[in-house]
Amino acid sequence: MTRYAVTLAALAALCASPALAADGKALFAAKGCVACHGEAGAKPIAGSPNIAGQNAVYLLRQMTEIADGTRSSAPVKVMKPVIDKTTPDERKVLAEWLATQRPAEAQPGDKAKAEQGAELFDENGCIGCHGADGLKPLADYPFLAGQRKDYLMVQIKAIRDEIRSTRRTRMMTANVRKFSEAQVEQVAEFLSQTKRK
């Protein structure tokens, strides 16, 4: 075996080692997650969610649903090839590591729209699963506070229009079915401006 072949074999072994598999930060970099979600999941590009500090159980469920095709609407289709290159154990490690990262800062925005959005959030029962101000979700639901406005708008519309239609999101459809475009924006303004604690 040549020295080159030995080096390649050693690198392959290192990449497959339990130490690397157990390191969420290394996996996040190695799988290319930073390209869309930014450093430690807190500085995403437009259209991608903040995932730093997100609920680990929720993150793992989303990765699993993308992997098995349960969640396949347009915004996440680009993630399918990336997720397909991860093992269930790696997804768990990624989810647990991301949950420990510092959440993104709340975004500035239109205060008047945010106030209207806060009323809509309360009036339409969002608090039941996502908690007051999107800050205290049930065990396997996402934090919504501090999420990107553009991402929230796309997801609320996808749930409203039954484009994103998994068992969990179907439960939410009734809450947002009557939202106008303006109301979707108001709720997204409110949540994106709400600071994670």
Side-chain angles (χ1 to χ4, degrees):
M1 186 179 275
T2 69
R3 181 174 289 184
Y4 178 71
V6 171
T7 303
L8 285 178
L11 285 172
L14 177 62
C15 289
S17 74
L20 179 62
D23 186 345
K25 183 177 182 179
L27 278 169
F28 192 77
K31 300 299 180 181
C33 309
V34 71
C36 293
H37 295 289
E39 185 180 345
K43 295 181 180 178
I45 62 171
S48 294
N50 292 318
I51 53 177
Q54 187 53 272
N55 184 325
V57 177
Y58 173 76
L59 286 172
L60 181 57
R61 180 160 47 86
Q62 296 312 299
M63 286 188 274
T64 301
E65 288 183 354
I66 292 167
D68 67 20
T70 303
R71 186 173 174 196
S72 59
S73 56
V76 297
K77 280 185 180 176
V78 296
M79 270 193 71
K80 178 81 165 108
V82 177
I83 292 293
D84 283 347
K85 293 178 183 175
T86 61
T87 67
D89 285 343
E90 287 174 331
R91 290 176 211 140
K92 185 176 181 186
V93 169
L94 281 166
E96 290 173 353
W97 177 75
L98 284 163
T100 66
Q101 300 308 296
R102 184 184 178 96
E105 296 293 326
Q107 301 162 36
D110 186 312
K111 295 294 182 193
K113 286 180 183 177
E115 287 173 8
Q116 293 168 315
E119 291 179 18
L120 286 165
F121 189 83
D122 289 344
E123 290 168 0
N124 287 279
C126 308
I127 192 173
C129 295
H130 296 289
D133 301 332
L135 288 165
K136 294 183 179 179
L138 296 178
D140 55 351
Y141 281 77
F143 289 101
L144 298 180
Q147 187 55 268
R148 284 186 64 101
K149 177 185 169 183
D150 58 353
Y151 180 78
L152 286 166
M153 288 181 66
V154 168
Q155 296 308 312
I156 294 168
K157 289 177 190 179
I159 293 167
R160 178 195 67 186
D161 301 339
E162 298 183 59
I163 295 166
R164 181 176 171 183
S165 186
T166 61
R167 183 179 67 82
R168 300 255 176 180
T169 57
R170 284 193 293 275
M171 293 190 302
M172 187 177 155
T173 301
N175 300 67
V176 298
R177 182 175 285 127
K178 294 181 180 178
F179 277 11
S180 67
E181 297 295 294
Q183 289 174 319
V184 168
E185 183 179 9
Q186 288 162 358
V187 171
E189 280 279 9
F190 161 61
L191 292 168
S192 67
Q193 292 180 44
T194 302
K195 184 177 181 179
R196 284 282 303 278
K197 296 174 183 174

